Amino acid sequence: MVRTRVAPSPTGDPHVGTAYMALFSYCYAKQHGGQFLLRIEDTDTARSTAKSEQAIIDSLHWLGLDWDEGPDCGGSKGPYRQSERLPVYQEYAEQLLENDHAFHCFCTAERLQQMRAEQKQNGQTARYDGLCAGLSAQQVTERKAAGAESVIRMKVPSEGVCIVEDALRGSIEIEYAQIDMQVLVKADGFPTYHLAVVVDDHLMEISHIIRGEEWINSAPKHQLLYGYFGWQMPELIHMPLLRNPDKSKLSKRKNPTSISFYKDMGYLPEALLNYLGMLGWSMPGGEERFSLDDMIDQFDISRISLGAPVFDVTKLKWLNGRWLREVLDEDGFAARLSEWVYNRDKLMQIIPLVKERVDVFSDLGKMISFFVEGMPDLGPDDFDYKGAVTEQQVKVLQFSLWLMEGDIDWHSSALQQGLVALAEAMDMKIRDFLKPLFIAVSGKPVSPPLFDSLVVLGPEISRGRLRHALAVLGGVSKKKLKKLDSEFKTLS
Ligand code: GLU
């Protein structure tokens, strides 16, 4: 039985890269009459949120990539949320310790830092030096009894070459000397990704792992763990990573990366899936427009391309246009349009903000366009008002963007409170602070009230408008961003 999974970490907006991995995993499973699972990898407790998990679930459902087993629908191999599986990882960590494949490590952060600095100075690979690997059981017990903190690390052979097979890339050879004695269980008792992923993929009977190429370097560690447990390793398929047009790893600073952004901008899920499919794969007949069913029918991993796929919004938009024009009839078009934003729920959010300013319905045209137009038509001149200082405007927009990217409740009062507090921390008059924000969000001299508008626009479009405004103001260089980041941190 072919079983594949997508295993996102719920640490932010639902990323198009997650949809990309899910799409390929889904097609592979469905083509083989197999099953596709969703597993939530939330062992990073500081960064994981329930909100992000829900957003991932909603956007994958929106795309139509439905799973056979997962945290929301259950299944026989659950739970499917790693934070609910801690006893399972503990049991397997114990097994590794008993069989001498892992050891307790008491090294302090200072010692590790010093060790790495020395290794760097000597031109060596940064890697744990094995100091604690030789501790006797009695020494471990004594140190633990004395209250010393410890982690569990895996053992790695000191010499030889590890050969990992990847279905797309063939044999990948890495010397064991290059492989770190990875921490498997942290001091707080939580497993790291490496232990959890191996244990879960095995217990969930995953046959094929399709994931991003950034995990290739971890594969030897995983292969060792499979060997230590005496388990068969699933087949590995490492997909090329999605890129910005400048070939760097796809990042929200250069390209919108959140699936919900594309949903809110009015893209069709079919077109987004089609585009993601096209980025890594091609139809045998070369057709550019294809459906999920077409992809499943024709799927063949040998047609996956290993080149660096550039996520190009212009191309996605073109493809979406083809779907709108060539696939939807007028009825379908109308149905999708009202599903998107011209619906009663949305109107009920908008009406309270515009009702007081309307004498006849036709007054509504311009006001409604503000809520549906995606990115407003802005130029640098729009930011040129009396007393405007570009540097200050950039700071206001960037800081507000960071605030809105954080864990903020998307309600009018929370947004108001957060932004007003930010203005105070920046020692700015609220009017001066809000002006560039107002222009960025509305693009117009008059618009409905700012905070309520942000709520109706939603986080994706609101943040998108801020990013768009920053680009209109000339963009923020990496260096500048770093500087702003430290300043922002001193404020919050
Ligand atoms: N949690 C990992 C991620 O979000 C999963 C990697 C994998 O598929 O093994 O990238």
Side-chain angles (χ1 to χ4, degrees), residues 355-387:
K355 198 166 164 251
E356 293 310 314
R357 305 159 187 228
V358 169
D359 296 316
V360 287
F361 285 149
S362 51
D363 289 341
L364 275 172
K366 284 203 179 79
M367 295 183 211
I368 300 249
S369 80
F370 162 81
F371 290 108
V372 298
E373 72 185 349
M375 295 306 118
D377 191 11
L378 276 182
D381 290 351
D382 292 299
F383 289 91
D384 189 13
Y385 47 83
K386 193 164 165 268

Side-chain angles (χ1 to χ4, degrees), residues 175-418:
E175 284 183 35
Y176 282 120
Q178 301 296 318
I179 302 171
D180 200 5
M181 296 177 211
Q182 179 66 49
V183 173
L184 299 177
V185 179
K186 296 176 267 186
D188 62 4
F190 270 69
T192 57
Y193 159 71
H194 304 279
L195 176 65
V197 78
V198 168
V199 168
D200 287 349
D201 282 337
H202 174 73
L203 296 180
M204 295 178 185
E205 295 176 8
I206 299 302
S207 60
H208 295 75
I209 296 176
I210 300 179
R211 65 179 165 207
E213 64 190 326
E214 77 261 45
W215 298 109
I216 290 180
N217 288 339
S218 303
K221 296 173 190 168
H222 301 175
Q223 183 160 298
L224 274 172
L225 289 173
Y226 278 97
Y228 291 161
F229 287 124
W231 297 337
Q232 195 192 336
M233 179 148 100
E235 265 205 54
L236 297 180
I237 300 165
H238 288 100
M239 297 285 297
L241 283 185
L242 301 180
R243 309 263 160 189
N244 293 311
D246 65 6
K247 295 286 165 94
S248 53
K249 187 175 153 187
L250 189 65
S251 62
K252 65 181 169 210
R253 203 162 66 83
K254 299 193 177 156
N255 244 318
T257 52
S258 164
I259 304 168
S260 324
F261 174 82
Y262 293 97
K263 175 173 184 264
D264 292 353
M265 281 296 284
Y267 286 84
L268 294 176
E270 295 93 325
L272 183 53
L273 276 187
N274 182 173
Y275 185 58
L276 291 171
M278 200 165 110
L279 282 177
W281 184 81
S282 55
M283 288 282 274
E287 302 87 340
E288 291 197 289
R289 179 169 63 69
F290 51 86
S291 68
L292 181 58
D293 284 343
D294 296 335
M295 189 165 163
I296 294 170
D297 282 347
Q298 303 288 336
F299 195 63
D300 170 0
I301 61 163
S302 71
R303 299 193 62 80
I304 291 179
S305 113
L306 285 182
V310 170
F311 192 95
D312 175 355
V313 182
T314 317
K315 183 113 201 228
L316 167 61
K317 198 167 176 194
W318 163 82
L319 191 61
N320 196 71
R322 284 194 57 186
W323 273 87
L324 286 179
R325 290 186 297 272
E326 297 168 16
V327 183
L328 295 184
D329 61 13
E330 283 165 22
D331 255 352
F333 197 109
R336 294 303 193 87
L337 190 58
S338 43
E339 219 174 273
W340 174 56
V341 70
Y342 292 99
N343 55 55
R344 194 179 156 79
D345 283 353
K346 207 53 166 186
L347 279 180
M348 293 303 278
Q349 282 186 298
I350 296 175
I351 288 169
L353 305 186
V354 297
K355 198 166 164 251
E356 293 310 314
R357 305 159 187 228
V358 169
D359 296 316
V360 287
F361 285 149
S362 51
D363 289 341
L364 275 172
K366 284 203 179 79
M367 295 183 211
I368 300 249
S369 80
F370 162 81
F371 290 108
V372 298
E373 72 185 349
M375 295 306 118
D377 191 11
L378 276 182
D381 290 351
D382 292 299
F383 289 91
D384 189 13
Y385 47 83
K386 193 164 165 268
V389 182
T390 312
E391 174 130 359
Q392 189 72 343
Q393 293 171 326
V394 166
K395 204 184 267 191
V396 166
L397 292 170
Q398 185 62 60
F399 286 4
S400 305
L401 177 59
W402 280 328
L403 182 86
M404 292 185 196
E405 283 174 349
D407 193 19
I408 188 162
D409 278 335
W410 209 262
H411 300 307
S412 181
S413 54
L415 286 164
Q416 175 166 10
Q417 216 175 41

Side-chain angles (χ1 to χ4, degrees), residues 5-11 18 21 25 39-43 82 193 197-198 201 209-212 214-215 222 238:
R5 63 15 174 220
V6 68
S9 300
T11 53
T18 299
M21 297 310 157
S25 303
R39 182 173 69 231
I40 296 292
E41 301 209 326
D42 58 349
T43 54
Q82 289 188 327
Y193 159 71
V197 78
V198 168
D201 282 337
I209 296 176
I210 300 179
R211 65 179 165 207
E214 77 261 45
W215 298 109
H222 301 175
H238 288 100

